[in-house]
Amino acid sequence: MNLPEGPSRSVPAPASVGVAPDPANTPTVSATDTPAPADARRRALLESLLAGRAPARSRVAPAAPQRPTGPLPLSYPQQGVWLLDQIRPGGAEYVVPFSWRLTGPLDSVALRDAWREVIRRHEVLRTRYRVVDGQPVQVVGPAEPVELPVADLTGCAAPERQERLAGLIRDEATTPFDLGRDAPLRVRLVRLAEDDHVMVLVAHHIAFDGWSVGVLARELGALYPALVAGQPAPLAPLPIQYADFAVQQRDRAAGWTGQLDYWRDRLAGLTPLELPTDRPRPPMQDPRGATLPFTVPADLGRALAAIGRQHRATPFMVLLAAFEVLLARYTGQTDIAVGTPVAGRTRPEVQDLIGYFVNTLVLRTDLSGEPTFTEVLDRTRAAALAGQSHQDVPFERIVDALSPERDLSRNPLFQTMFVMQNATAADFAGAGLRAEQVPTLWHTAKFDLTMQVTEETDGSFSGVVEYATALFDVATIERLAGHYQQLLTAIAATPDTPVTRLPMLTGPELAQLAAWNDTHVDYPHGALLHGLIEAQAATTPDAIAVIDDRDELTYAQLDARANQLAHRLHALGAAPETIVAVCAHRSVDLPVALLAILKTGAAYLPVDPDHPAERVRYMLTNAGDPLLIVDTATAARLDWYPGTTVHVTDDTLTREPDTDPKVTVDGRNPAYLIYTSGSTGHPKGVL
């Protein structure tokens, strides 16, 4: 789930299953030019969602639904979570931790009774999940008395108290739920001082989302002071329960045909995003993760918002478009698909329900054709509006309809997530007690990469990058966050610049790049290349000189092998003002051959073994059938060659001396012979 201080607590999915991440609210996108829905009510609802507001509540309470007598089905989002729990049983990646700091005098009995009333009101908090006739079903349990266990840390010194509190939260967050036996919510009270407590809650994603935090805060904020005052519970009965919503969602599935057709067409031919990773992707998705915070200053945030207003786009669209540019620059791909969560509460009767309603939109943007950022923003805006107008279909149904290739190593359809939050905390107060939500860290990642930004009241944005530690090192993510910030700065300054030319390197990286490109070296006057390598071999004989996919040579080994080959070539006539051709593939043997030729004073002729046979034949013939060095692969291809050939790895070369052949070479002797492309006729050789 999304927490105000961290990225979305979303659930990864294998190829046949997709699970939506979990927004605390709907992404803030503009309703301008929204495609017209079928009726006025749908249009009003869409506009409120696109503007980041909860839909207007109906003044007329809907009639209580008629619950079926048979087994209660899971909703589509629940079914995705349940399937993933079956694939990786006992995992804690679907465990959602969050906490409130309670300051002021606490009536623990009233707080316990408030919890009892919340759990009585919301059936989903006392629901277990069983299998009946091969299908998962919801089993609603009775409203049993709830206890509120207390961990007393008042006897600990302050540093130890905080350490033990963090350990307690960590233990709760890493303790899995047994969905068949356990209630999907645990709560514990930690006493730090007489008027200072922390209420630790751990929920399973199958019964809880980010919106539910606000629902829970409102209900506790109403119930607790009433119970302290001895008054009856002030909350109106809920018009619907989560199980009723699940039944209704299944019944509405037949009406999604048109929206499914949209998603089939929109996401057809989508290929995975291949981010450069620090390690190979494991065969099964690894849920371990970490987070990295970053900030966007207020002046930059306001400038970006102004660009959005000029193009009828919200900050969500601007920041998402910049994220897509970042992904395109990192991957070299121009077909970018990013997941983004929506609350999934489009019906007024579910606004006050605790439960898992979240849906995911896959926003696909084409960055081909060298667009400017404002052009990318227009494309992103169109994708966001169209996606929002087709948001009724659960992500799980879209995955089933598209049937992407099964791949347990990554999420289907998208591998990166973008989440935007409003800076609203789910706090409550009453009867002298104040409850403030506090950051709760976690160590899981549901996608390769999740970028979450929260718009603050001063116009700045606080950001968090959640990443899979099986794929990325923290240094890589630090660079990525820095590049995103640099891109935002460049966009604010010149939004009409083509996105491939927007600068994104940080100051230290530019300095490092300048240092790497400063290749000026004061070589000894008159020194020759092979002499410099010989000097290096004498200075650092054990340093690695050349490597390929299979082998490596130290400077001493390179020099010794080149000397042996040079002695053989010299005996066969290689000398200054002569030509020796080399036709070999890239390996450690190739620099051995080139260095050996230079040691004889001859000029080398590079012949690409992948060139057409006619070009190779022409070059060698035109050069006068010179002495030719080959490797195992090229020897067979050049068996027609009439000149003398030497195999670069000939076993008999080890009999040659490994000392310098002592050939006098003048710097004015030709070093190599190169042939032109031949685009205007025959290739021409240039010494």
Side-chain angles (χ1 to χ4, degrees):
M1 62 177 272
N2 289 334
L3 300 174
E5 304 293 337
S8 66
R9 298 289 303 177
S10 49
V11 180
S16 60
V17 183
V19 178
D22 171 14
N25 46 56
T26 309
T28 309
V29 293
S30 171
T32 309
D33 289 350
T34 303
D39 52 47
R41 178 185 176 278
R42 179 174 175 79
R43 180 181 183 87
L45 174 62
L46 177 61
E47 289 182 351
S48 66
L49 288 170
L50 292 173
R53 303 188 301 269
R57 300 172 187 270
S58 172
R59 295 184 180 181
V60 180
Q66 195 70 27
R67 182 170 295 186
T69 56
L72 297 171
L74 276 63
S75 69
Y76 285 106
Q78 279 186 319
Q79 184 165 316
V81 175
W82 183 85
L83 286 172
L84 290 166
D85 186 73
Q86 304 306 299
I87 292 171
R88 292 191 288 269
E93 57 264 39
Y94 321 120
V95 174
V96 182
F98 56 105
S99 306
W100 276 289
R101 189 71 173 259
L102 309 178
T103 54
L106 174 64
D107 186 332
S108 59
V109 174
L111 184 60
R112 181 203 64 191
D113 291 344
W115 269 109
R116 289 180 175 180
E117 177 62 11
V118 168
I119 294 172
R120 185 199 65 78
R121 286 170 53 79
H122 296 274
E123 290 181 354
V124 72
L125 298 181
R126 42 190 170 89
T127 295
R128 276 72 169 177
Y129 301 86
R130 310 278 170 77
V131 176
V132 175
D133 296 331
Q135 295 296 321
V137 298
Q138 301 189 55
V139 179
V140 179
E144 299 173 345
V146 176
E147 298 303 324
L148 187 61
V150 178
D152 192 342
L153 303 183
T154 56
C156 304
E160 181 187 0
R161 188 161 57 239
Q162 292 303 316
E163 183 177 343
R164 290 187 60 182
L165 173 63
L168 188 149
I169 295 174
R170 183 173 57 251
D171 291 344
E172 289 286 353
T174 55
T175 300
F177 288 87
D178 184 333
L179 296 182
R181 296 188 304 174
D182 300 336
L185 178 72
R186 297 191 297 263
V187 59
R188 172 178 290 195
L189 195 62
V190 182
R191 181 179 293 117
L192 305 179
E194 183 177 351
D195 58 353
D196 188 7
H197 297 76
V198 174
M199 185 165 56
V200 180
L201 296 90
V202 178
H204 196 283
H205 229 325
I206 202 167
F208 213 86
D209 61 14
W211 188 294
S212 299
V213 180
V215 174
L216 184 57
R218 288 196 302 273
E219 295 204 351
L220 290 175
L223 290 167
Y224 175 77
L227 293 171
V228 169
Q231 299 171 353
L235 300 175
L238 294 170
I240 189 175
Q241 291 290 337
Y242 187 87
D244 303 316
F245 160 77
V247 171
Q248 293 176 353
Q249 187 185 51
R250 298 279 175 170
D251 292 341
R252 292 194 300 269
W256 293 334
T257 302
Q259 292 198 32
L260 269 175
D261 289 342
Y262 165 81
W263 289 113
R264 283 194 188 97
D265 179 67
R266 180 66 182 169
L267 302 180
L270 191 61
T271 56
L273 193 68
E274 297 293 348
L275 283 166
T277 61
D278 295 306
R279 284 168 291 282
R281 184 179 296 276
M284 177 171 284
Q285 194 167 8
D286 189 331
R288 291 175 298 171
T291 58
L292 178 78
F294 68 93
T295 58
V296 177
D299 55 347
L300 176 56
R302 289 191 289 267
L304 294 169
I307 291 172
R309 288 191 296 272
Q310 293 170 10
H311 294 269
R312 299 179 298 169
T314 60
F316 166 79
M317 294 175 179
V318 175
L319 296 174
L320 171 59
F323 184 54
E324 292 167 339
V325 171
L326 179 72
L327 296 176
R329 295 280 293 270
Y330 262 64
T331 63
Q333 297 170 245
T334 57
D335 185 8
I336 306 297
V338 177
T340 193
V342 289
R345 297 174 184 251
T346 57
R347 304 177 74 85
E349 62 268 24
V350 302
Q351 300 298 305
D352 293 324
L353 274 185
I354 290 173
Y356 187 43
F357 294 87
V358 180
N359 196 14
T360 294
L361 304 182
V362 184
L363 303 184
R364 185 180 190 180
T365 304
D366 179 10
L367 275 73
S368 64
E370 197 68 13
T372 65
F373 176 77
T374 53
E375 290 171 333
V376 172
L377 178 58
D378 290 340
R379 299 176 190 181
T380 301
R381 177 181 177 277
L385 292 173
Q388 287 277 357
S389 66
H390 296 86
Q391 67 165 291
D392 292 340
V393 185
F395 179 71
E396 297 77 17
R397 286 296 303 274
I398 296 172
V399 174
D400 290 341
L402 288 169
S403 298
E405 183 179 352
R406 293 176 180 269
D407 186 354
L408 294 179
S409 70
R410 69 180 83 218
N411 199 71
L413 302 184
F414 69 94
Q415 291 74 51
T416 61
M417 170 70 63
F418 184 85
V419 184
M420 186 164 182
Q421 302 273 55
N422 292 329
T424 55
D427 301 336
F428 61 92
L433 185 71
R434 177 168 180 78
E436 294 182 310
Q437 197 174 359
V438 296
T440 304
L441 299 178
W442 59 91
H443 301 283
T444 60
K446 306 304 183 291
F447 305 98
D448 294 358
L449 199 66
T450 297
M451 176 78 72
Q452 175 173 296
V453 291
T454 300
E455 187 173 10
E456 306 294 348
T457 55
D458 63 352
S460 65
F461 294 93
S462 57
V464 176
V465 182
E466 179 188 277
Y467 61 97
T469 53
L471 300 177
F472 302 105
D473 293 331
V474 62
T476 300
I477 302 304
E478 288 173 345
R479 286 194 299 272
L480 181 141
H483 293 161
Y484 184 61
Q485 292 167 294
Q486 290 298 118
L487 272 178
L488 293 176
T489 301
I491 288 166
T494 55
D496 292 321
T497 301
V499 294
T500 57
R501 297 208 295 268
L502 286 170
M504 68 178 193
L505 295 182
T506 63
E509 286 176 324
L510 290 172
Q512 180 66 75
L513 189 62
W516 284 337
N517 286 331
D518 184 7
T519 58
H520 175 74
V521 177
D522 290 324
Y523 291 108
H525 181 69
L528 304 182
L529 175 59
H530 64 277
L532 293 173
I533 295 177
E534 290 167 357
Q536 189 67 38
T539 304
T540 60
D542 297 325
I544 300 300
V546 291
I547 60 173
D548 62 24
D549 291 341
R550 296 176 300 175
D551 299 308
E552 62 182 33
L553 296 177
T554 65
Y555 274 97
Q557 292 169 328
L558 171 65
D559 191 50
R561 283 191 56 189
N563 284 335
Q564 291 173 324
L565 180 56
H567 278 284
R568 177 67 58 85
L569 297 175
H570 188 59
L572 294 172
E577 305 297 327
T578 66
I579 303 297
V580 177
V582 181
C583 187
H585 291 86
R586 287 177 177 265
S587 71
V588 295
D589 300 324
L590 186 57
V592 168
L594 298 178
L595 182 57
I597 295 170
L598 295 177
K599 284 174 176 283
T600 68
Y604 64 82
L605 165 60
V607 179
D608 191 332
D610 294 326
H611 277 174
E614 295 79 6
R615 177 182 172 88
V616 172
R617 185 183 296 270
Y618 175 84
M619 290 168 58
L620 292 175
T621 302
N622 185 257
D625 294 333
L627 189 61
L628 174 63
I629 300 175
V630 296
D631 60 18
T632 301
T634 58
R637 286 188 55 194
L638 298 172
D639 56 0
W640 54 266
Y641 185 61
T644 303
T645 61
V646 177
H647 199 298
V648 69
T649 58
D650 186 343
D651 291 340
T652 63
L653 288 173
T654 58
R655 303 172 190 168
E656 300 287 351
D658 61 3
T659 55
D660 183 6
K662 301 297 185 182
V663 176
T664 301
V665 182
D666 191 289
R668 291 169 294 182
N669 295 135
Y672 61 86
L673 171 64
I674 196 76
Y675 275 79
T676 63
S677 64
S679 58
T680 59
H682 288 300
K684 298 176 179 62
V686 181
L687 275 173

